[in-house]
Amino acid sequence: MRRVVCAGLLVSLASIASANNFTNNIMITGYWPPTNNMVRDFSPNPDQNNGQWLGGNWEGRGYNIYSYFPEFPGQTGPSWGKGVGDFEVDYQKTSADWHRITDQIKPVAIITFSRAQNNFEWRLEGGNRMYAESQWTPDYQAPTRPGSDLPIMQALAPGTELFSTLPIPEIMANVGAQVPGVNPTTVPVDNGRFLSNFIGLHGNWYHELNNDPSAEYRNFAAGHIHVGFAMSPQQALDATLVTLRTLTDHLDLIGAPAPSSAAALALGGLVLTRRRRPLCGREQERVEQSSR
């Protein structure tokens, strides 16, 4: 297994943690456009972030933002298919990537994004629901439904509902006031039966498992947002930034990590390891060349 440096500084996850039992890392994910493109600047992968990760100590707020999403080369909407890379629109691969990445960055907060059918909605899901295996909508590659081998299917019974812990009213108010043309809204529970609900359920489940003060790496907030397919790239980006600012303000308010000396040393770097495919293509090429 190779060790791949994604942002230039070798640090352990322990050094990213603050003096308390939580990190300064916020994890955000995307699926179909515009949700992959609007979080692109926060990817630690130089093949996806235009060569510069902008998430380190973002806006001086003391939090590192890490994004993960698939690419859709040669594809056009409205049906983009499963894509390639992290969090492909596939139950098994989403599950595997979820556990691999959360184990690496130990997120203090999580926002999962996916595309909505409504044109300009910024829809904050109040919760997500588990379904029986046969009730999930098939994806693009066999096995096309989540099976009993997946951890979340073993942990949650059909009908289980887990709820968002994002600051929903504040996000709605701020996006509505600051991003013209975008319609923030919310519903009690996401009734969808495809990957949007599946990954949103993962976020709320992660919070459920790690929100206790005694957790090894505590999570303070998680939730899912559906993003209208017709909004412009700038609208989607602006709404993302407003949402992240609102979330970090909320974390400060409820006592999550403020900037610390340990976090400051860690900003700008993260060591990632994986078997299937390195997150940082050009960095991997340099590693391979130096080993020849």
Side-chain angles (χ1 to χ4, degrees):
M1 182 183 297
R2 296 188 184 275
R3 295 167 63 84
V4 182
V5 183
C6 284
L9 179 64
L10 289 173
V11 294
S12 68
L13 285 170
S15 70
I16 298 176
S18 71
N20 298 302
N21 62 328
F22 39 74
T23 71
N24 295 65
N25 302 328
I26 296 174
M27 172 179 166
I28 58 178
T29 70
Y31 270 146
W32 288 347
T35 64
N36 61 343
N37 293 320
M38 72 190 197
V39 301
R40 186 171 297 279
D41 288 342
F42 299 109
S43 170
N45 183 346
D47 289 335
Q48 293 186 298
N49 64 14
N50 299 312
Q52 184 179 11
W53 175 57
L54 300 183
N57 190 19
W58 181 61
E59 294 189 339
R61 292 169 174 264
Y63 298 90
N64 307 316
I65 315 294
Y66 294 97
S67 68
Y68 303 90
F69 51 87
E71 304 285 6
F72 301 90
Q75 299 297 312
T76 57
S79 180
W80 292 85
K82 75 179 185 69
V84 294
D86 295 317
F87 291 112
E88 295 176 10
V89 185
D90 179 278
Y91 294 107
Q92 286 71 30
K93 292 183 178 179
T94 286
S95 176
D97 286 346
W98 184 271
H99 292 284
R100 172 177 56 82
I101 292 170
T102 56
D103 282 350
Q104 290 167 350
I105 68 172
K106 315 292 187 186
V108 69
I110 298 170
I111 305 177
T112 56
F113 293 101
S114 64
R115 193 184 71 170
Q117 296 300 321
N118 295 305
N119 288 1
F120 295 98
E121 274 196 352
W122 194 258
R123 190 174 77 226
L124 292 104
E125 304 295 349
N128 298 88
R129 180 181 294 125
M130 172 58 80
Y131 293 98
E133 294 177 33
S134 62
Q135 294 178 311
W136 290 96
T137 300
D139 63 23
Y140 302 96
Q141 179 175 302
T144 59
R145 290 184 171 92
S148 59
D149 58 317
L150 301 186
I152 197 168
M153 301 299 289
Q154 298 170 7
L156 302 179
T160 300
E161 294 178 344
L162 299 179
F163 295 96
S164 174
T165 44
L166 297 177
I168 290 177
E170 292 84 356
I171 292 173
M172 290 179 61
N174 291 340
V175 170
Q178 299 176 42
V179 189
V182 172
N183 177 32
T185 185
T186 187
V187 295
V189 175
D190 183 359
N191 290 318
R193 302 190 182 195
F194 198 43
L195 269 296
S196 295
N197 186 37
F198 188 69
I199 197 170
L201 191 64
H202 272 79
N204 294 339
W205 180 46
Y206 184 89
H207 175 79
E208 184 92 352
L209 293 173
N210 296 283
N211 71 341
D212 190 86
S214 65
E216 182 179 8
Y217 291 98
R218 192 175 178 189
N219 178 275
F220 285 81
H224 187 78
I225 300 176
H226 267 105
V227 178
F229 71 90
M231 66 179 65
S232 70
Q234 191 62 53
Q235 285 176 311
L237 175 60
D238 289 347
T240 301
L241 299 182
V242 171
T243 297
L244 287 171
R245 292 180 188 120
T246 307
L247 174 61
T248 56
D249 288 345
H250 173 72
L251 293 175
D252 289 343
L253 184 65
I254 63 176
S260 66
S261 57
L265 289 173
L267 295 175
L270 178 65
V271 175
L272 301 178
T273 61
R274 64 185 299 181
R275 294 179 184 275
R276 179 168 56 86
R277 181 182 57 80
L279 289 177
C280 303
R282 291 200 292 272
E283 289 290 344
Q284 176 70 0
E285 291 173 6
R286 288 196 286 271
V287 169
E288 291 175 346
Q289 289 170 359
S290 65
S291 65
R292 290 173 183 168

